[in-house]
Amino acid sequence: MVRKIDWDSQIGRRLKLRDLHVFSTVVERGSMGKAAQQLGVSTPAVSEVIAGLEHALGVRLLDRIAQGIEPTIFGNALLKRSVVAFDELKQSIRDIEFLSDATTGEVRVGCMEGPWFTQLPDVILRFSEKYPRIVVHSDLINHSEVYLGLRERRYDCVLNRAPTGLHDEAPDDLNVEVFYDLTLIVGAGAHSKWARRRKIDLAKLIDEPWILAGPTSRNRMQVEEVFQAEGLSAPEPRVVTDSIILRARLVAGGPYLSIFSTSVLRRLIGDNYALVALPVDLHANAFSYGIVTLKNRTLSPVVERFLACVREVAASFAGKPAGRAGPPRA
């Protein structure tokens, strides 16, 4: 029979936030010695905290391995809830700061490269004009980090590009607000031999010099889906890079072709890159732009105001043409 842990006698009067902080630091650093060094205390002091936690809970929290230590299943359970507890405490401090002075605070945003290049600059400019003393922390992230950063409470929100079914595909612990759909467009330099054509079959472009994103990127996967929808194999790229700016500069100055989203190409053309959208009918390439947050996580008033600016900018982007293009509709 599983022993029941009594909150009042075993936990409520004995467990301290400091103990949880020490425990999480030990797991993060992988050893008690490294954790002690980071915390500025002795290794025996750290060991004493861990022993006290294990005694209070009646279970082993850490196992020793060749590389140091790792949490047991009980340790992982405690760590998971500790992250939530510390996050809620931090959020309450941020709320207090906001109530004391509504013009200060911070927002932490994770962003994939598409919206990072297109919408996010306008969002930050608009937000900073309204709230000049609020600090915005922005990280450029890849597809694999989208959900992880939210769950680890490193970000308040994530600006994301994903397939149109994003709100159906998202895990149960996430909220997704989809603003509008985008499509992909073949981009070429304004002086390209293809620039003045009225209609182009994708098959005719296979042997052209292509610039594609990296093989594990969301953009590359979407490009491959586009070619597969036409019964074609994706072209072998001459240049591989995840950088939108590098792709744009090479396409504008050379014989290359690349595939951009409608919003990205619109921004590039607006920034006076010598690019055009070729009239190529690309099928099965719709995806969404939206914002992702954690369910059951109370956002601070500062973050809510930032999200309001995101929605305002998204509304201004929705429905705008991307330049000379064929069937793409966003």
Side-chain angles (χ1 to χ4, degrees):
M1 182 176 178
V2 178
R3 182 177 62 85
K4 184 177 180 181
I5 298 175
D6 184 84
W7 172 261
D8 288 331
S9 63
Q10 292 177 257
I11 307 300
R13 299 175 186 176
R14 297 173 63 178
L15 187 63
K16 300 177 182 179
L17 285 174
R18 174 180 174 274
D19 298 341
L20 294 177
H21 178 58
V22 170
F23 171 69
S24 63
T25 304
V26 170
V27 174
E28 178 186 353
R29 298 306 305 272
S31 80
M32 293 192 189
K34 292 179 180 179
Q37 185 177 18
Q38 178 173 321
L39 295 169
V41 299
S42 66
T43 300
V46 172
S47 298
E48 183 178 351
V49 170
I50 300 301
L53 278 173
E54 292 181 331
H55 178 72
L57 296 170
V59 295
R60 179 179 291 277
L61 297 174
L62 299 171
D63 281 334
R64 295 188 178 277
I65 58 174
Q67 294 77 21
I69 60 169
E70 66 178 9
T72 64
I73 58 171
F74 307 110
N76 277 321
L78 180 62
L79 184 65
K80 178 181 178 181
R81 301 299 182 182
S82 297
V83 169
V84 176
F86 279 117
D87 179 66
E88 288 298 321
L89 182 59
K90 290 177 183 178
Q91 292 285 54
S92 67
I93 298 300
R94 293 166 74 178
D95 288 350
I96 291 172
E97 292 174 343
F98 177 81
L99 292 171
S100 301
D101 184 353
T103 65
T104 63
E106 64 177 17
V107 180
R108 296 186 178 275
V109 185
C111 193
M112 295 183 72
E113 191 177 23
W116 179 83
F117 176 72
T118 56
Q119 285 87 4
L120 187 59
D122 290 350
V123 172
I124 293 176
L125 287 171
R126 182 177 299 222
F127 183 74
S128 297
E129 183 178 354
K130 293 181 177 180
Y131 311 106
R133 293 173 57 193
I134 295 178
V135 180
V136 179
H137 301 268
S138 174
D139 289 340
L140 181 62
I141 59 177
N142 60 41
H143 178 66
S144 63
E145 297 175 322
V146 171
Y147 299 157
L148 180 63
L150 285 171
R151 292 189 176 114
E152 293 181 347
R153 270 67 175 179
R154 287 186 279 121
Y155 306 121
D156 297 304
C157 59
V158 167
L159 301 184
N160 188 27
R161 284 180 49 194
T164 304
L166 172 62
H167 50 295
D168 298 321
E169 298 173 2
D172 292 339
D173 61 337
L174 300 178
N175 285 315
V176 178
E177 183 178 353
V178 174
F179 296 133
Y180 53 85
D181 292 343
L182 293 170
T183 51
L184 298 178
I185 296 176
V186 178
H191 302 293
S192 167
K193 64 182 181 181
W194 300 100
R196 298 186 182 279
R197 302 287 183 93
R198 293 186 177 183
K199 185 174 179 61
I200 304 172
D201 290 332
L202 185 60
K204 293 183 177 180
L205 301 177
I206 287 289
D207 295 327
E208 293 299 304
W210 283 88
I211 304 175
L212 300 180
T216 61
S217 70
R218 169 67 70 179
N219 180 271
R220 181 67 166 268
M221 288 186 283
Q222 289 175 314
V223 168
E224 290 175 351
E225 290 171 1
V226 164
F227 280 89
Q228 289 171 4
E230 296 291 328
L232 303 170
S233 297
E236 290 295 327
R238 300 283 183 86
V239 179
V240 177
T241 176
D242 289 332
S243 170
I244 289 175
I245 294 298
L246 180 56
R247 280 194 285 148
R249 293 193 65 176
L250 290 173
V251 170
Y256 300 103
L257 302 178
S258 191
I259 290 185
F260 303 95
S261 73
T262 47
S263 61
V264 165
L265 192 64
R266 179 170 63 241
R267 170 67 74 180
L268 291 168
I269 293 173
D271 288 346
N272 296 318
Y273 280 82
L275 300 172
V276 296
L278 298 184
V280 182
D281 190 356
L282 302 182
H283 299 287
N285 70 76
F287 59 95
S288 297
Y289 161 67
I291 194 157
V292 187
T293 56
L294 272 179
K295 285 183 180 177
N296 302 318
R297 186 192 189 199
T298 303
L299 299 177
S300 72
V302 171
V303 176
E304 292 287 5
R305 293 187 177 192
F306 181 82
L307 295 184
C309 284
V310 174
R311 295 183 185 100
E312 291 171 6
V313 171
S316 70
F317 269 76
K320 286 187 177 180
R324 189 171 75 82
R329 55 191 175 84

